C-alpha cells in the first residue's frame, strides 16, 4: 500500500508536548522528516533525540509563533536541512479561559497573538514555498470551541472560529489559483494536553479539570488524524475533522 507520508518534510509548531509531540513521533515513525518548533528548546531536544534513537529524522529550533522572523527561520531550517517542505502543522495554542466579567485582558490579547497571529505568521512563512512548487498541505489545530460557544471561552472560541474561516478561504483561493495547497482544520474536544495549565481563573480551571478527568483521551488520537490527512493522495483533501472522546457529549 502506497504511503504518502514517507519522505515528506513537515514543520510542526507547538511541538514540545501534547498533540505536537505525539504527531512528531508518529509521523517520524511513518517515514516523515519532521522539523519541530516551540519555545522550550530543552523539551524539543529530548523529543528529537528520541526520534533519532528510533531511526527517525528530526531537527528542531526554538520558535515563538508570534514573531514572523522566527516562523520564517524554521521554514528555512526545513529547506536547508531536508531540501524541501511539504506540509506545516500549525498546532501552537493557548486556552486561558475565564468569564469576560473577570476582565483578564492580558490573557485575551495573548490568546489572539498566539492562536491567530501565530497562524497568520506560519502561513505567511510557508506560502512562498508552497506557491512556487504548486503544492503544500496546511493543517491547523482549532477546537470544538471553534464550532460551538461555551461560557468562559468567548475569546478562545473566537480565535478558533477564526481558524475555520481562514483555513477554508486558503483552500478555496488555492484551488482557484491552481497552487494545489490543501488544508485540514482539526476540532479536538477533551484531549489530555497542557492546555489546562494556562487557565488562571480558579473556578474555570476547576470545571475544566473535572471535565478532562472524566472524558479526556490521549493526544495520540489527534496525531492519528493528522497522519490520515497527510496520507491522502495528492488529488484529495479532507478539510475538516472533529475529534473527541466517544463518551463526551461536547
Amino acid at each position: 500500500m502506497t504511503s504518502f507520508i514517507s519522505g515528506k518534510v513537515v514543520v510542526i509548531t507547538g511541538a514540545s508536548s501534547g498533540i505536537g509531540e505525539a504527531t512528531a513521533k508518529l509521523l517520524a515513525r511513518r517515514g516523515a522528516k519532521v522539523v519541530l518548533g516551540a519555545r522550550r528548546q530543552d523539551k524539543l531536544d529530548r523529543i528529537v533525540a528520541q526520534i533519532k534513537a528510533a531511526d527517525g529524522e528530526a531537527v528542531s529550533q526554538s520558535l515563538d509563533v508570534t514573531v514572523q522572523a522566527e516562523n520564517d527561520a524554521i521554514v528555512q531550517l526545513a529547506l536547508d536541512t531536508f531540501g524541501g517542505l511539504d506540509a506545516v502543522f500549525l498546532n501552537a495554542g493557548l486556552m486561558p479561559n475565564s468569564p469576560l466579567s473577570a476582565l483578564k485582558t492580558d490573557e485575551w490579547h495573548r490568546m489572539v497573538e498566539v492562536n491567530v497571529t501565530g497562524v497568520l505568521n506560519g502561513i505567511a512563512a510557508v506560502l512562498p514555498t508552497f506557491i512556487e512548487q504548486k503544492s503544500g498541505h496546511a493543517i491547523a489545530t482549532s477546537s470544538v470551541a471553534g464550532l460551538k460557544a461555551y461560557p468562559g471561552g468567548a475569546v478562545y472560541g473566537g480565535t478558533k472560529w477564526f481558524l475555520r474561516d481562514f483555513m477554508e478561504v486558503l483552500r478555496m483561493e488555492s484551488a482557484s489559483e491552481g497552487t494545489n495547497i490543501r488544508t485540514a482544520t482539526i476540532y479536538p474536544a477533551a484531549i489530555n494536553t497542557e492546555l489546562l495549565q494556562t487557565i488562571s481563573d480558579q473556578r474555570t480551571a476547576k470545571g475544566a479539570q473535572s471535565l478532562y478527568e472524566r472524558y479526556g483521551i490521549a493526544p495520540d488520537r489527534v496525531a492519528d488524524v493528522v497522519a490520515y490527512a497527510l496520507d491522502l493522495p495528492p488529488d484529495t483533501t479532507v478539510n475538516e475533522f472533529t475529534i473527541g472522546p466517544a463518551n463526551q457529549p461536547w
Side-chain angles (χ1 to χ4, degrees):
M1 185 175 180
T2 301
S3 170
F4 293 101
I5 292 179
S6 182
K8 280 186 175 178
V9 180
V10 184
V11 167
I12 302 173
T13 72
S16 61
S17 66
I19 292 169
E21 177 180 1
T23 301
K25 291 177 176 178
L26 175 60
L27 296 183
R29 289 197 301 271
R30 299 278 296 274
K33 303 171 184 178
V34 293
V35 182
L36 312 184
R39 289 171 299 170
R40 299 175 295 184
Q41 186 65 54
D42 58 329
K43 292 185 178 294
L44 293 177
D45 291 342
R46 173 183 57 80
I47 295 165
V48 168
Q50 291 171 345
I51 289 172
K52 288 183 174 180
D55 296 323
E57 295 187 72
V59 292
S60 70
Q61 189 162 286
S62 178
L63 170 66
D64 180 344
V65 295
T66 69
V67 180
Q68 183 65 63
E70 295 193 15
N71 289 269
D72 297 338
I74 200 164
V75 168
Q76 192 60 51
L77 175 65
L79 297 173
D80 291 344
T81 305
F82 296 123
L85 177 63
D86 300 289
V88 62
F89 180 30
L90 302 167
N91 175 66
L94 298 175
M95 191 185 73
N97 284 348
S98 63
L100 292 171
S101 57
L103 286 171
K104 292 183 176 289
T105 55
D106 288 346
E107 293 180 357
W108 299 355
H109 292 295
R110 184 60 180 164
M111 274 188 279
V112 172
E113 289 172 359
V114 174
N115 299 356
V116 174
T117 303
V119 169
L120 296 178
N121 290 343
I123 292 296
V126 302
L127 271 184
T129 298
F130 285 0
I131 291 170
E132 181 180 6
Q133 67 195 17
K134 287 185 165 47
S135 68
H137 205 154
I139 302 174
T141 302
S142 179
S143 167
V144 292
L147 298 173
K148 60 184 295 186
Y150 295 90
V155 179
Y156 177 72
T159 66
K160 296 305 185 177
W161 277 87
F162 162 81
L163 272 183
R164 187 180 195 189
D165 181 82
F166 179 79
M167 294 293 283
E168 178 65 355
V169 173
L170 173 61
R171 183 196 66 78
M172 295 169 71
E173 289 183 352
S174 175
S176 299
E177 295 167 2
T179 49
N180 307 308
I181 299 169
R182 296 182 289 164
T183 68
T185 306
I186 302 174
Y187 304 94
I191 309 297
N192 291 323
T193 70
E194 295 181 351
L195 270 185
L196 300 189
Q197 297 178 16
T198 66
I199 301 176
S200 65
D201 183 81
Q202 292 306 304
R203 183 174 178 181
T204 303
K206 184 177 180 180
Q209 187 65 44
S210 176
L211 184 145
Y212 276 67
E213 286 176 356
R214 180 175 180 183
Y215 296 116
I217 58 175
D220 304 77
R221 306 296 182 264
V222 182
D224 289 337
V225 172
V226 177
Y228 174 83
L230 288 171
D231 206 24
L232 289 167
D235 64 354
T236 304
T237 184
V238 179
N239 55 311
E240 292 190 316
F241 297 89
T242 303
I243 175 175
N247 64 339
Q248 183 189 355
W250 303 357

